[in-house]
Every structure is written in C-alpha cells, then in structure tokens.
Amino acid sequence: MLPKIVLAALLVSGCVFAQEAPKQSAMPKQDEASCPLPLDAEVVKRGAPLGDSPLVSLAAALREPEKFAGKRVVIEGVAARVCSREGCWMEVAPRLGATESVRVTFKDHGFSVPLNSQGMRVRAEGEFVVKKLSKEQADHYTEEGARLIRNADGTASEIGFIATGVELRRLE
C-alpha cells in the first residue's frame, strides 16, 4: 500500500511541476509588446545589449541626419509614440514635448517594445537612415499612430533609426 501512495504522490507532484514550467519560461517574442511595462522595473531591455558606440545628441542628428546615416551610434530621448498594434516601432524625441522626433524600428523585426512605453526614457543603439516612404507605407504607419509629414503625392520623407538594442526607463 505504501509504495502505491508514494507513486501516486510522485505522479501528482510531477504534473504540478510540469504545469508550472511554462509560467517560468521566457515570454515568446510576439508577446513582448502586449506585456505591459512593469511598474517596478528599473530598466527594460529589448534586443541586443547596448555596446560602446558613441553617444550622439538626438537633436543634432535630427538637424543633420545625413551626417550620421549608416554610422552605429547610441541615442537618448523620450518615447513620444509607440506602435499601437504591436510595439514594432516608437517615435523618440529629444525631450518631453519636443516637436521633432525619429521613428525607431527594430533590426530585422527581431523585438518589440511594450505598448505602454510612451513617455519612457529611451536609450538605443543602431543606425540612422534617411528614406522616402511610399504612400502605402505612410498610410500604414499613420494608421498605427505615427506622425508623418506628407508630401503632396502622399509619400513622406522620413529620418529613421534602426535599433539593434533598446533600454527603457521610467521618467523620474
């Protein structure tokens, strides 16, 4: 009788631990954005760890984007907007209330940011790009909440930043 009780206890405990395991595993990439930024988080990191690329002033880079295009740099600012659907991009401004910003996307769509990241302090490493968006691309980004300056034909010229890694912190 005792061996049957021990066996039953082991089977039950094995089932309990098996059910607990998924809760402890890493969250899948597609769920990163839907998971709100924890209120007690000091730093939330996405993508690759930030390296030792030179820090450039976001305001200066926005004035002369061609000067920084294709060069790996670190920028700092505040998340002014975040993709409302998936957290697959964010607009980063030099400071709260600034009218100028850069739309930050994530290299190879490899990560996303929490949907409630707006207003967070941002530190990101990557490269600036200067490009022209088709009317369809501009329409798509506008539907997701992006703020673009449109050309007469519906296209938009955009200064972008492709990040390989991002760190988010709450404003103090």
Side-chain angles (χ1 to χ4, degrees):
M1 178 75 172
L2 188 58
K4 287 183 183 179
I5 292 172
V6 172
L7 182 60
L10 287 173
L11 285 173
V12 169
S13 65
C15 291
V16 169
F17 286 116
Q19 289 176 354
E20 292 296 320
K23 292 179 186 175
Q24 296 171 358
S25 66
M27 188 182 327
K29 282 185 185 178
Q30 63 267 23
D31 291 341
E32 284 180 344
S34 61
C35 180
L37 191 65
L39 294 174
D40 60 347
E42 286 189 34
V43 180
V44 173
K45 299 177 181 183
R46 295 289 197 261
L50 302 189
D52 58 358
S53 297
L55 176 66
V56 300
S57 161
L58 181 53
L62 290 171
R63 282 192 301 273
E64 298 181 277
E66 293 83 10
K67 181 178 175 181
F68 299 97
K71 296 178 183 172
R72 191 171 190 80
V73 297
V74 172
I75 59 170
E76 294 179 331
V78 177
R81 287 180 174 63
V82 177
C83 170
S84 62
R85 293 184 182 168
E86 298 177 20
C88 59
W89 57 262
M90 66 180 159
E91 287 181 20
V92 177
R95 64 192 173 291
L96 277 175
T99 56
E100 69 278 357
S101 63
V102 62
R103 194 168 63 84
V104 177
T105 56
F106 311 115
K107 186 166 178 66
D108 300 326
H109 303 283
F111 59 97
S112 59
V113 295
L115 297 179
N116 66 340
S117 299
Q118 185 172 335
M120 307 297 288
R121 185 168 310 285
V122 176
R123 187 172 169 89
E125 184 171 25
E127 295 181 3
F128 280 95
V129 293
V130 180
K131 60 185 173 183
K132 184 174 183 177
L133 300 175
S134 69
K135 180 182 180 320
E136 293 76 21
Q137 288 172 314
D139 290 344
H140 174 77
Y141 295 143
T142 301
E143 288 170 6
E144 293 179 337
R147 182 181 55 189
L148 300 172
I149 299 172
R150 298 286 190 111
N151 300 319
D153 63 357
T155 62
S157 298
E158 180 184 52
I159 301 167
F161 189 83
I162 302 172
T164 55
V166 172
E167 294 179 353
L168 300 165
R169 291 179 172 79
R170 294 208 174 276
L171 290 175
E172 299 163 2

